[in-house]
Amino acid sequence: MTTTGEETTPARRGPLWWPRWRSAVFDWSLAAVSAVECAVEGVPFARDAGIPVAVGVVFGLLAGSVLVVRRQWPIAVVLVAIAITPAQMGFLMGIVGLYTLAASEMPRRIIGSLAGMQLVGTLIVTFVRVRQSTDQGRLTFGDWFIPFAAVVMSLGLTAPPVLLGLYVGARRRLMESLRERADSLERELQLLAERAEERAEWARGEERTRIAREMHDVVAHRVSLMVVHAAALQAVARKDPEKAVRNAALVGDMGRQALTELREMLGVLRSGGVRERAAVPLVAVGVAAAAAASRAAEESGEGPCLEELEELIGQSAAAGMVVDLSVEGEVRSYAGEIEQTAYRVVQEALTNVHKHAAGAKTHVRLAHRVAEIAMQVENEPPPEVGSAGSAGLPSGGNGLVGMKERVVALGGVFVSGPTEAGGFRVSAVIPAS
C-alpha cells in the first residue's frame, strides 16, 4: 500500500516493513495460527510419509510461520502454500497469501498465474484424496462426487480470496488516487490564493501610485499658482494695492478650486470602496481599485476637459507667465479619459515652467488629427538664472513620470527633454480611440 507524500512520514511507525504496530501484531497472530494449523496437519503427514512425527510438526511450524512476511513478499507465501498443498497443510496460509497477493500492486499476470497454480494444485490433491477415500470405503458417494468435490474445494479455496483481494486493492488504489487529487487540488488552490494575493498587492501598489498621481495633478498646479500669486502679492502689496487685491482674489479662487477637486476625488474613492469591499472577491480588487480614481471625474461630471485649456492658460498668464496657445485641425470632442489626460499633460507642463523656468515665454500647441490628438508645451530659457526659485516652489520629481504613465496607459507616446535653445519641451500623442 502506498500513501500520499503528506502521509508517508507519519505512517511509518511500525517495525521493519509494517506501517503500524497494529499491522505487525496482526500478521504475527496470523502466522502463529497458521503455524499451529500446519503443525497439527504435520502429524498425519508424517505418518503417511513414514517420517518421525516431530519432524512433521517442526516442518509444519516452519512452513506456517512464513505467513508473517505476507506484506513484504506475498509471492513467496503463495509459493510455499502451493508447495505444501500435497501434504494437505497450509489452508489458512494459502487463503491469506492469495488475498494479500491480489490486493498488492503486483501485475495481473503474476496474480493470475499463481492463483491458477494454486487452483490446479488444490484440484489435483483433492481429487486424489477423495478418490482414495472412496476406494477405501470411507465415502459411499458415487463416482460423480469425486470431480465435484475437487472442483468445489479448489474453487472455494482460491476464487474468494483472489476476488476479495482484487476488490480491496482496487478500492485502496481508488482512495489513494482520490487523496492525491485532493492534495493536488489543495496545492493548486493554495497557489491560486497566493497568486491572487500577489495580484491584490500589485493592484494596491498600482492604485497607490494612481492616487498619488491624481493628487499630484490636482494639487501641484493649483498650489504652485497660489504660491506664485502669493509671492507677487507680497511684492506689490505696498506699491499697487489694486493689483494686490486681484492677486488675493485669484489665490482664493484657486484654493477653492483645488479643494473642490480634492473633495470630489476623495468622495468618489470613499463611496466606491464601501460598496465594493463586501461584494468584490480578492482577485477583483485590482480591477476595482484601478477603476476608482478614473471614476471620480466621470461620476462627478466636472472632470477637466480640453475646453478648459484657455482658462488654465489664463491662470498661468495671470500669474505672470507669457504663454500663447495655438490649435490646429478641426476641434472635436474625445472620450473623457483622453481629454482629461491631455489636459493634465498641459497642466503639469505649465506647472513645471512655474517651478523651473519662472518668467520664461511658453508656447502651447494642440493638434487635432484624424486618429490622434497631439499636444506640445515648450518654454524658452528663463530671463534670469535662479529666477525659478524666486517663489520657493519645491519639486518632487514625479510630474514627468506621472505624465508618461498617463499617456502610455492610453497607448500613446510621451517625449520630454531640453531644447537646443536652452528651454524645455514636453510632447505627447494620444490615440483618438
Side-chain angles (χ1 to χ4, degrees):
M1 177 179 177
T2 60
T3 57
T4 57
E6 289 75 10
E7 297 177 351
T8 300
T9 301
R12 293 290 179 183
R13 296 177 180 175
L16 299 177
W17 56 82
W18 285 281
R20 293 178 297 272
W21 278 98
R22 183 177 60 184
S23 301
V25 172
F26 180 73
D27 286 355
W28 278 100
S29 300
L30 283 178
V33 175
S34 176
V36 171
E37 176 207 353
C38 292
V40 173
E41 294 167 346
V43 175
F45 167 70
R47 291 173 181 173
D48 294 341
I51 59 176
V53 175
V55 175
V57 172
V58 172
F59 174 76
L61 288 174
L62 293 177
S65 61
V66 175
L67 192 60
V68 75
V69 297
R70 70 181 187 95
R71 295 179 188 264
Q72 188 71 3
W73 299 293
I75 295 179
V77 174
V78 175
L79 289 176
V80 172
I82 295 173
I84 64 176
T85 298
Q88 285 190 313
M89 63 175 60
F91 295 102
L92 176 62
M93 183 169 58
I95 294 174
V96 176
L98 285 176
Y99 165 79
T100 306
L101 178 67
S104 66
E105 302 292 337
M106 293 292 175
R108 293 295 177 87
R109 63 179 182 276
I110 296 179
I111 297 174
S113 300
L114 293 177
M117 293 172 61
Q118 179 76 3
L119 175 66
V120 173
T122 306
L123 179 66
I124 295 174
V125 171
T126 305
F127 185 88
V128 172
R129 292 296 183 181
V130 174
R131 183 63 178 266
Q132 291 177 352
S133 299
T134 302
D135 293 343
Q136 295 174 2
R138 286 180 292 182
L139 294 176
T140 58
F141 298 100
D143 293 338
W144 61 270
F145 181 75
I146 297 175
F148 174 78
V151 171
V152 171
M153 181 66 68
S154 59
L155 289 177
L157 295 177
T158 305
V162 171
L163 295 177
L164 180 61
L166 290 175
Y167 167 76
V168 172
R171 183 176 181 275
R172 181 182 300 161
R173 287 187 289 272
L174 176 61
M175 296 301 296
E176 292 173 359
S177 175
L178 293 177
R179 280 196 296 268
E180 290 176 357
R181 291 182 181 180
D183 294 339
S184 176
L185 180 59
E186 183 179 358
R187 288 191 294 269
E188 291 179 2
L189 291 176
Q190 184 178 3
L191 181 60
L192 289 176
E194 293 176 356
R195 290 181 178 177
E197 183 63 27
E198 291 176 359
R199 293 193 194 102
E201 184 63 28
W202 173 84
R204 285 191 288 267
E206 287 293 315
E207 182 56 14
R208 284 193 292 267
T209 303
R210 187 185 185 95
I211 293 176
R213 185 170 60 244
E214 292 286 342
M215 300 288 285
H216 178 274
D217 292 342
V218 170
V219 175
H221 181 74
R222 304 287 186 192
V223 175
S224 297
L225 291 180
M226 292 170 62
V227 173
V228 171
H229 281 289
L233 178 62
Q234 183 179 5
V236 303
R238 297 181 179 178
K239 299 178 181 179
D240 192 347
E242 294 182 0
K243 187 175 182 180
V245 171
R246 289 195 301 270
N247 287 344
L250 287 174
V251 171
D253 292 339
M254 292 176 186
R256 283 187 290 271
Q257 291 175 1
L259 289 175
T260 300
E261 292 184 10
L262 284 174
R263 188 180 301 110
E264 292 170 355
M265 179 187 301
L266 296 177
V268 174
L269 286 174
R270 185 181 298 110
S271 61
V274 171
R275 286 196 307 268
E276 295 171 0
R277 187 178 298 120
V280 178
L282 183 61
V283 294
V285 171
V287 178
S294 61
R295 286 201 309 268
E298 296 176 1
E299 294 187 6
S300 63
E302 299 181 1
C305 59
L306 293 177
E307 295 179 356
E308 302 177 12
L309 277 182
E310 294 185 0
E311 180 182 355
L312 177 67
I313 293 174
Q315 293 175 354
S316 295
M321 178 187 294
V322 180
V323 55
D324 62 79
L325 171 65
S326 62
V327 181
E328 302 175 2
E330 182 181 356
V331 179
R332 64 184 187 274
S333 60
Y334 301 90
E337 192 173 6
I338 295 176
E339 293 206 6
Q340 293 166 23
T341 300
Y343 180 92
R344 295 300 189 192
V345 169
V346 176
Q347 182 187 55
E348 180 60 28
L350 293 176
T351 302
N352 287 340
V353 175
H354 283 293
K355 290 181 179 180
H356 307 291
K361 186 176 182 179
T362 305
H363 306 275
V364 179
R365 299 180 180 88
L366 186 67
H368 299 272
R369 300 169 184 168
V370 177
E372 61 189 17
I373 177 174
M375 62 225 67
Q376 184 182 88
V377 179
E378 180 179 349
N379 63 275
E380 299 177 358
E384 297 179 3
V385 179
S387 61
S390 58
L393 292 175
S395 176
N398 298 318
L400 294 177
V401 175
M403 283 190 284
K404 184 175 182 179
E405 290 176 351
R406 283 180 176 274
V407 174
V408 172
L410 297 179
V413 179
F414 178 86
V415 179
S416 63
T419 62
E420 296 180 357
F424 198 84
R425 181 187 299 118
V426 173
S427 303
V429 179
I430 305 175
S433 60

